[in-house]
Amino acid sequence: MIVVKIGGNILDTPERLQRFLIDFAKLPGPKLLVHGGGKIASAIGQRLGITPKMVEGRRVTDAETLDLVTMVYGGLVNKQVVAQLQALGCNAIGLTGADANLILATKRPVREVDYGFAGDVAGAPDINVQALEAFFSVGLTPVCAPLTHDGKGSMLNTNADTIASVLATALAPKYSVKLVYCFEKRGVLQDPEDDASVIRHIDSQKYSHLKATGVVSAGMIPKLDNAFAALEQGVEQVLICEAEALASLNQDNFSGTTLSIL
């Protein structure tokens, strides 16, 4: 089982997205795709007069922004990706967390920051694994938008990295799961300005050091936090790489960052 998360500049670069989807469609066996879309949402929001507000790499979601991301993530981005996969012979089905009660979440409580209608997923028990297995059994590939629901009729905006992590964790008891975060960089970089400075392997101890020294910061922290949470809960392997590396995932020449507990 391969769970792949795509985001960053890939979604709004048509050529890179098309190449990525060609490689994704070729992956053997059951697979699942989680997508972001924050940059597209921000761009459309700006045209509508909605200025994005970010805190530590996470979007603050007021009522107006919730409408925006529901339209963009669950509609525009999700259906464009599904349509392109269908053209490549991959029978995809687009989903939010509300569809088939796939991902239940709770509205994030107000602490130092009020994130508005942001959804937190407690863990694997909030995932409808039976629904996913039903999709897999009939040859469907789920394509999940970064939206959840609270079970009371409200949608919630949820970090796509988190969704990928909890879906991988929920599937781990039944499958040997590989979680892959694809974005615009080649992996976790020692120097953000040097694309060749990929850190090939990061364990828990090294991750703590990278955070303490500021090598890893801002939006990369929640990504890696989710990755290590998945490893601690049974996911076999987590990889962070550029979208173009997906084709070499199981080859010796794979270039990216591999994460492990030890």
Side-chain angles (χ1 to χ4, degrees), residues 2-143:
I2 298 178
V3 176
V4 182
K5 187 268 178 175
I6 186 72
N9 292 325
I10 308 304
L11 285 164
D12 51 2
T13 307
E15 298 81 10
R16 293 190 75 181
L17 177 60
Q18 179 67 11
R19 290 198 301 270
F20 165 80
L21 292 175
I22 289 171
D23 292 336
F24 178 80
K26 291 178 180 177
L27 292 174
K31 53 186 178 283
L32 185 153
L33 180 61
V34 179
H35 65 79
K39 295 188 178 185
I40 298 172
S42 295
I44 293 176
Q46 293 279 20
R47 297 198 325 242
L48 297 173
I50 303 171
T51 302
K53 182 181 178 183
M54 310 292 288
V55 177
E56 295 180 346
R58 296 182 185 269
R59 186 181 300 268
V60 174
T61 308
D62 57 18
E64 191 175 42
T65 301
L66 181 63
D67 288 346
L68 170 69
V69 297
T70 300
M71 289 187 291
V72 175
Y73 299 162
L76 178 65
V77 175
N78 188 267
K79 301 314 168 192
Q80 285 181 338
V81 169
V82 168
Q84 290 181 66
L85 284 173
Q86 294 293 356
L88 295 167
C90 178
N91 194 8
I93 180 169
L95 302 165
T96 70
D99 298 298
N101 191 30
L102 187 63
I103 309 171
L104 194 64
T106 56
K107 186 173 179 290
R108 187 172 303 161
V110 178
R111 296 192 177 96
E112 292 84 4
V113 178
D114 182 359
Y115 283 98
F117 293 95
D120 289 327
V121 185
D126 292 330
I127 306 299
N128 187 348
V129 176
Q130 291 75 20
L132 289 173
E133 289 185 299
F135 293 135
F136 296 140
S137 71
V138 293
L140 290 170
T141 295
V143 177

